[in-house]
Amino acid sequence: MTIFSHMNPNSRVWIYQANRPFNDIETHLIKERLNQFKNEWNAHGISLVADFALVYNQFIMLAVDESSQKASGCSIDSSVRIIQEIEEKTGVILLDRMLLAYREKEEIILLKRSEFKKAVENFAITEDHIVFNNTIQFVSELGKWEIPLKESWHKAAFIQKNVQ
């Protein structure tokens, strides 16, 4: 994946998934606000080397290269506050970890965990469906962000093992 290819592979990543695609006005607002934030983001007064990406018009990724300065608890909290601010200004929900995303052809589908589980049980979502693994933590793991369900944490969480 070419997102953040200019950054250290050990850079930390946070992925925020929107409950719907961003419209053009929201995209502009988000980019403007995150550009400002990344240029001001610091830990204990020391600037952080950071970047962001809007992916598929529905995901915000923040990355910080901690090779020279680690992100502190306070600096991470400030990034969450920016995400909350974006939620407030756009009406988009970004912090709901109970929504899971998968791909149906070119469309990104979001389901609540319970709905996702039922869809898997009813074979509406199969092991070959592409899911979004928003739990990755490092730039080096971005190649495992969009993967078949059978290769993700979703398999252990949602596919019952056949007991004989």
Side-chain angles (χ1 to χ4, degrees):
M1 180 161 272
T2 58
I3 301 168
F4 303 128
S5 59
H6 62 287
M7 295 190 75
N8 180 326
N10 294 322
S11 297
R12 287 184 63 187
V13 174
W14 293 269
I15 300 172
Y16 299 95
Q17 170 184 284
N19 64 324
R20 62 168 175 76
F22 308 122
N23 65 37
D24 292 343
I25 294 169
E26 292 165 343
T27 298
H28 178 76
L29 180 141
I30 292 166
K31 286 180 178 180
E32 191 174 84
R33 188 62 187 102
L34 290 177
N35 263 320
Q36 179 185 5
F37 175 72
K38 80 170 187 170
N39 293 328
E40 297 170 354
W41 201 8
N42 70 78
H44 305 295
I46 300 170
S47 292
L48 294 171
V49 176
D51 206 353
F52 72 92
L54 296 184
V55 185
Y56 301 131
N57 227 22
Q58 199 157 349
F59 298 87
I60 296 174
M61 293 185 181
L62 293 177
V64 64
D65 181 350
E66 295 185 304
S67 61
S68 59
Q69 176 63 39
K70 298 242 184 255
S72 65
C74 292
S75 65
I76 294 168
D77 289 348
S78 70
S79 70
V80 173
R81 283 193 297 276
I82 291 303
I83 296 300
Q84 290 170 326
E85 177 187 313
I86 291 169
E87 282 185 321
E88 187 176 300
K89 287 185 176 184
T90 62
V92 173
I93 298 169
L94 293 160
L95 295 168
D96 185 350
R97 298 292 185 196
M98 292 295 117
L99 281 178
L100 301 176
Y102 72 99
R103 196 181 275 292
E104 187 67 54
K105 296 183 182 171
E106 295 304 310
E107 186 178 0
I108 296 171
I109 308 291
L110 293 163
L111 295 175
K112 293 179 183 175
R113 275 184 80 93
S114 59
E115 295 169 331
F116 190 93
K117 184 177 191 292
K118 285 179 186 171
V120 170
E121 289 169 352
N122 295 329
F123 302 103
I125 300 174
T126 68
E127 288 188 338
D128 293 320
H129 271 91
I130 300 299
V131 295
F132 292 87
N133 177 11
N134 297 330
T135 65
I136 63 169
Q137 297 180 25
F138 301 97
V139 166
S140 61
E141 297 174 326
L142 282 170
K144 297 177 183 177
W145 178 52
E146 282 185 81
I147 56 175
L149 183 143
K150 63 186 169 197
E151 297 173 21
S152 77
W153 66 265
H154 298 73
K155 181 177 179 178
F158 297 106
I159 296 181
Q160 301 295 322
K161 302 212 182 344
N162 291 331
V163 181
Q164 296 186 3

